[in-house]
Amino acid sequence: MQFRTDPTDGNKLSALGFGCMRLPTTAGKIDLAATEKLLRLAVDRGVNYLDTAYIYRGSEQALGEVFARNPDLRERVNLATKLPTPRCEAADDFDRYLQASQTRLGTDRIDYYLIHNLTSAQSWRRLASLGIEAWIARQKAAGRIVRIGFSYHGPEADFPVLLDAYDWDFCQIQYNYLNEHYQAGTAGLVAAAERGLPVFVMEPLLGGKLAAELPVDAQAILADAGIPADPVRLALRWVWDHPEVTMVLSGMNAPSQVSENADTACEALPNALTSAERQAVELARASIAESYKVPCTGCGYCMPCPKGVNIPSCFAAYNASFAHGWYQGMQQYVTASGAMVGDAHFASDCVQCGACVSKCPQHIDIPGSLASVKRRLQVPGLPAFIRLGTRLISR
């Protein structure tokens, strides 16, 4: 495993971190046995950073159970979790959520604690007005929090303001070759590094868009450039190519993904991409940008929808209809509706209540985008036809 140094205290961090938002599931619940196997494999391959959050359903509890079964594992990793800032309305909430996370995780020490999903300098000032700075100091003094940082999902201009708003120990940003100028972007990455902060990268594959969901035109561009047919490896190497990046988080949910990503992490040194690879990325980026109309990463923060619409899956189907053809997108849309399990909900069921909009870290106009999904993929009479078929089958 390649290790990079936390410049604030010299801590050695694996270049590959394990993102625990998308742990393996069975029948809609986290598969504890599969999760335990994955985590042990990752740590044995040198991964020493696990990233979860209070709002990742079942994730903290699953990690806590794995630690209880494997007492050595907790001390072999740096553990990160996050404060659900939108839910914090009073000073007492800080203690309540930290205690809940520690109870779930079965630990009294959080090595890297993040203020989750800051979207502007104002979002930090709101927390500061509740006394969070003094609270952080108390938790650090008590040893409950070792390092404090934040994850960012706001505009590029606000990021350096937020960097200077507090004496942070680290920061976490979304960064990949399609998002060089989105949110913090390359300018933010450099700005954080110039201030001596370690930078952790989330969404290096853009929720799979730069992996298995890579548009066929982009795949052809990479093939024509002589790039090995492994878009995951290329996308990860592109991020690690930046010396300002301390660690890349990957949401791995299969042993093969752990092994392949760990292999890549061993060799992906800064400034190691060839000129041919850089040129291929530039060409692929332009092709991908044309195909992915809705910048959804599938994080699920917008869920559940009060009307039962599977918002991320609707957007995945919509994007697939441009990347891989209308028919494949249509197939995905029918599956996303829940038609196969007898409880169908379509983009047309959106009543524009807006409950999802404020939760989206990508700041997508979700109701407007669902209307676009409906126009492109929902052929006339589809909901009535699906629902009639479901009723007939259930008789």
Side-chain angles (χ1 to χ4, degrees):
M1 176 58 64
Q2 175 193 169
F3 291 88
R4 297 190 179 185
T5 303
D6 180 337
T8 63
D9 61 8
N11 190 27
K12 298 295 185 183
L13 293 168
S14 54
L16 175 65
F18 199 121
C20 299
M21 184 172 72
R22 302 180 179 101
L23 294 173
T25 60
T26 299
K29 294 183 179 181
I30 291 177
D31 185 326
L32 191 60
T35 295
E36 181 177 9
K37 180 179 179 181
L38 281 181
L39 293 179
R40 287 222 64 101
L41 174 61
V43 174
D44 287 344
R45 287 298 309 269
V47 172
N48 71 357
Y49 189 98
L50 306 182
D51 171 272
T52 184
Y54 178 89
I55 66 169
Y56 297 170
R57 290 185 182 179
S59 178
E60 288 183 329
Q61 295 95 320
L63 291 184
E65 291 190 47
V66 171
F67 291 147
R69 295 182 184 185
N70 303 265
D72 66 303
L73 207 58
R74 171 65 186 95
E75 295 310 314
R76 295 174 65 187
V77 300
N78 296 278
L79 181 60
T81 192
K82 308 179 186 74
L83 178 73
T85 50
R87 303 186 185 189
C88 294
E89 299 179 350
D92 290 346
D93 290 334
F94 304 143
D95 265 326
R96 181 162 62 88
Y97 287 118
L98 175 59
Q99 183 58 57
S101 288
Q102 290 184 323
T103 299
R104 291 171 172 178
L105 291 162
T107 186
D108 58 3
R109 183 188 83 247
I110 305 299
D111 302 299
Y112 287 83
Y113 196 55
L114 293 94
I115 310 302
H116 199 181
N117 194 19
L118 288 182
T119 58
S120 65
Q122 176 56 38
S123 62
W124 169 249
R125 287 193 287 269
R126 182 185 74 83
L127 297 172
S129 72
L130 298 177
I132 197 169
E133 295 183 35
W135 177 81
I136 292 169
R138 290 195 299 272
Q139 306 318 307
K140 280 190 162 188
R144 300 179 74 196
I145 295 173
V146 181
R147 304 166 188 85
I148 192 73
F150 67 96
S151 62
Y152 189 68
H153 287 286
E156 186 178 41
D158 261 16
F159 186 68
V161 178
L162 191 54
L163 288 175
D164 294 330
Y166 183 72
D167 186 18
W168 303 105
D169 296 314
F170 68 103
C171 64
Q172 186 166 304
I173 64 172
Q174 176 172 316
Y175 194 59
N176 53 69
Y177 69 71
L178 202 62
N179 287 164
E180 270 206 278
H181 306 291
Y182 180 69
Q183 294 187 5
T186 300
L189 171 65
V190 172
E194 287 176 344
R195 289 161 172 79
L197 290 182
V199 182
F200 305 156
V201 169
M202 55 187 163
E203 300 293 357
L205 304 177
L206 196 57
K209 303 297 184 295
L210 306 181
E213 300 174 39
L214 198 68
V216 290
D217 288 349
Q219 294 177 35
I221 287 170
L222 296 181
D224 290 345
I227 305 301
D230 188 352
V232 172
R233 182 173 177 273
L234 178 63
L236 292 176
R237 289 182 63 236
W238 183 90
V239 180
W240 276 314
D241 196 57
H242 295 77
E244 300 88 356
V245 171
T246 307
M247 183 184 58
V248 174
L249 292 164
S250 178
M252 301 167 283
N253 52 33
S256 60
Q257 294 174 358
V258 174
S259 297
E260 290 163 8
N261 289 356
D263 287 345
T264 302
C266 291
E267 62 184 38
L269 300 174
N271 302 312
L273 282 185
T274 67
S275 58
E277 288 172 324
R278 296 177 197 276
Q279 184 176 10
V281 164
E282 292 298 322
L283 294 172
R285 175 190 291 149
S287 173
I288 297 165
E290 291 179 4
S291 297
Y292 287 105
K293 309 297 184 181
V294 181
C296 174
T297 65
C299 69
Y301 288 9
C302 58
M303 299 291 283
C305 167
K307 294 298 180 181
V309 179
N310 189 331
I311 298 168
S313 292
C314 283
F315 292 157
Y318 182 70
N319 287 334
S321 74
F322 291 96
H324 304 289
W326 182 88
Y327 185 71
Q328 182 168 330
M330 177 62 180
Q331 286 182 312
Q332 284 190 217
Y333 180 59
V334 172
T335 301
S337 74
M340 303 306 172
V341 295
D343 186 25
H345 299 277
F346 297 88
S348 57
D349 292 327
C350 172
V351 295
Q352 300 190 3
C353 68
C356 53
V357 176
S358 62
K359 301 176 184 177
C360 178
Q362 310 301 330
H363 309 295
I364 297 168
D365 173 13
I366 293 177
S369 296
L370 285 174
S372 297
V373 174
K374 176 188 173 183
R375 286 193 295 271
R376 180 166 176 81
L377 296 178
Q378 193 166 305
V379 298
L382 178 66
F385 176 77
I386 294 293
R387 286 164 179 154
L388 174 61
T390 300
R391 287 196 297 270
L392 290 174
I393 291 170
S394 64
R395 287 180 178 176

